[in-house]
Amino acid sequence: EIGEHASFMHKEMFEQPESLRRMLSGRLDHRFATVRLDGLGLDPRDLRSFKRVKAIGCGSAYYIGQLGASLIEDLARIPADAEPASEFRYRNPIIEPDTLYVAVSQSGETADTLFAVQEIQRKGGHVVGLVNVVGSSIARACGGGIYLHAGPEVSVASTKVLTHMGVGFAMLAVLLGRVRDLSHSDGARILAGLERIPDQVREILDREAEIGAVADVVADATSVFFIGRVRGYPVAREGAQKLKEISYLHAEAYPSSELKHGPLALISAEMPTVAIVPDDELVDRNIGALHEVSARQGPLVVVTHEAVEIDVEVARIDVPKNERELDPLLMTVPLQLLAHQVATRLGRDIDRPRNLAKSVTVE
Ligand code: BG6
């Protein structure tokens, strides 16, 4: 039941602080500054043997896989990337024995992801699941994995489960990092950051009305750009996906660095850009991208941190600051709210967007 909420999507977004707290409970090991993920079925020697990590999933699960890969590179310093499972399975993939494959899926029933898992296993690769639905096909096929414990998600557009996936990747990154070169103090710093996430998500949700004001910038457009750099780029991609899925606006994500290599041609007063600008070592470059857009009269919505000074006109969404590795994940939450607000203004059927299904179990 959705109670006072306007949609399941809204209800599920607002469940996040509680569900995230549940997910973290009992999994953080403060003494050794690591995490307990017994369901993976991997001992420290197994964990050390992986030379690469590859996330596979479809749609939003793929975008969060990309965010997860960057967390793993940042924290564990293991080469990591993500690929749509739907592509992976058809390209006769080369399966490497020392790669840890991670199948990412809310439902655990997405046919493309399940087939990719079977292809990895047929070729002798090691795949674990990052799955929400307990006992689902992908969870069973993988054997080992990390259950997300987000509770049921009804809305076609995924929200809370994506945040759980991001936290799952952060935990995996700490685990892989702590059997390598991630120091005790850095491990402890990330654990403390993870513990702050539920309250910080709550703070973002509390600002729904503010984000509503920003939504007007987007709702009047027919096409919207999302830009982000390095670890902000998957956030931009997921933001564009969410807006597309429920508002039917054309939305496209680009790395901020690529703007000048093509997309700038489209910037005008009619084309708003949503930019991800965390307070990190790339902030000056990201502000440079805002200048490029602003000089061409492009309206700007900027997801950023309070400490970031922006000297062009923008609609700001400030999010609470966490650790720089975890900030991108928090920045996906206001984009959920933004998509919901825009779709509401446009009168869309938020929980049942046209042409989409919650899980695609056919090929
Ligand atoms: C798509 C949905 O069909 O499946 C996306 O429209 C979703 O929203 C994707 O992210 C993957 O689903 P799952 O259940 O494998 O995470």
Side-chain angles (χ1 to χ4, degrees):
E1 254 324 298
I2 64 174
E4 81 265 27
H5 295 278
S7 63
F8 274 104
M9 180 181 172
H10 196 267
K11 170 174 180 269
E12 288 156 6
M13 288 191 292
F14 279 77
E15 282 168 354
Q16 291 178 100
E18 227 12 80
S19 65
L20 288 164
R21 211 163 276 128
R22 216 171 43 234
M23 180 189 187
L24 289 167
S25 89
R27 281 171 157 172
L28 307 186
D29 175 348
H30 289 286
R31 181 153 179 244
F32 292 106
T34 187
V35 293
R36 274 188 293 269
L37 295 171
D38 298 337
L40 281 175
L42 297 170
D43 66 26
R45 193 190 303 217
D46 298 328
L47 291 167
R48 279 185 66 91
S49 71
F50 296 117
K51 299 209 160 45
R52 188 180 289 277
V53 177
K54 186 169 195 83
I56 50 164
C58 295
S60 293
Y62 157 57
Y63 299 127
I64 297 296
Q66 200 180 29
L67 193 146
S70 95
L71 268 164
I72 288 168
E73 289 205 343
D74 259 355
L75 293 171
R77 304 302 296 157
I78 308 173
D81 69 350
E83 186 176 338
S86 48
E87 284 284 286
F88 179 85
R89 59 172 292 215
Y90 285 114
R91 66 173 178 84
N92 192 14
I94 298 165
I95 301 302
E96 298 161 311
D98 47 12
T99 293
L100 175 64
Y101 294 88
V102 184
V104 190
S105 176
Q106 187 288 127
S107 62
E109 302 297 343
T110 299
D112 284 322
T113 311
L114 180 59
F115 276 103
V117 166
Q118 290 163 342
E119 178 74 355
I120 293 164
Q121 291 175 328
R122 190 178 62 76
K123 293 181 173 178
H126 195 96
V127 55
V128 296
L130 197 60
V131 174
N132 192 43
V133 177
V134 176
S136 56
S137 303
I138 294 170
R140 279 186 283 122
C142 288
I146 305 171
Y147 273 125
L148 297 168
H149 297 308
E153 191 178 69
V154 174
S155 161
V156 168
S158 186
T159 56
K160 65 172 173 173
V161 171
L162 298 181
T163 314
H164 280 237
M165 286 170 178
V167 168
F169 271 115
M171 291 199 290
L172 181 60
V174 169
L175 185 68
L176 289 166
R178 288 289 291 133
V179 295
R180 292 181 174 73
D181 296 330
L182 185 71
S183 66
H184 188 284
S185 66
D186 274 334
R189 179 174 66 77
I190 299 300
L191 295 195
L194 286 171
E195 284 185 315
R196 290 198 297 278
I197 285 183
D199 284 339
Q200 292 185 320
V201 168
R202 161 68 55 212
E203 274 182 59
I204 296 169
L205 295 169
D206 285 345
R207 288 191 218 146
E208 187 182 24
E210 264 172 67
I211 292 170
V214 171
D216 291 332
V217 179
V218 173
D220 293 338
T222 48
S223 205
V224 185
F225 268 151
F226 284 72
I227 57 169
R229 193 184 300 264
V230 185
R231 56 181 96 81
Y233 176 50
V235 179
R237 297 187 86 184
E238 168 48 28
Q241 161 93 348
K242 199 97 304 150
L243 188 68
K244 239 180 271 191
E245 283 186 307
I246 60 169
S247 77
Y248 316 151
L249 295 184
H250 169 239
E252 223 180 316
Y254 270 97
S256 311
S257 49
E258 280 285 295
L259 261 185
K260 57 183 176 298
H261 299 298
L264 265 190
L266 292 177
I267 300 290
S268 72
E270 281 73 52
M271 170 77 99
T273 297
V274 179
I276 310 303
V277 183
D279 184 11
D280 64 10
E281 72 281 9
L282 298 168
V283 68
D284 292 340
R285 296 220 150 258
N286 283 325
I287 289 178
L290 302 183
H291 283 241
E292 291 180 42
V293 173
S294 171
R296 288 151 188 98
Q297 284 72 53
L300 279 158
V301 173
V302 183
V303 180
T304 187
H305 293 118
E306 213 178 333
V308 175
E309 285 175 30
I310 300 174
D311 54 357
V312 293
E313 200 194 316
V314 302
R316 279 182 88 112
I317 304 175
D318 286 335
V319 302
K321 183 85 183 79
N322 197 300
E323 301 300 327
R324 83 187 158 80
E325 296 88 342
L326 300 175
D327 284 330
L329 178 59
L330 277 165
M331 289 187 159
T332 61
V333 178
L335 300 183
Q336 300 170 357
L337 288 165
L338 181 68
H340 191 274
Q341 297 267 359
V342 172
T344 303
R345 275 172 180 55
L346 298 174
R348 309 298 192 215
D349 183 349
I350 290 176
D351 289 330
R352 275 171 300 276
R354 68 185 183 199
N355 307 339
L356 297 178
K358 182 67 179 154
S359 69
V360 183
T361 54
V362 292
E363 288 187 61

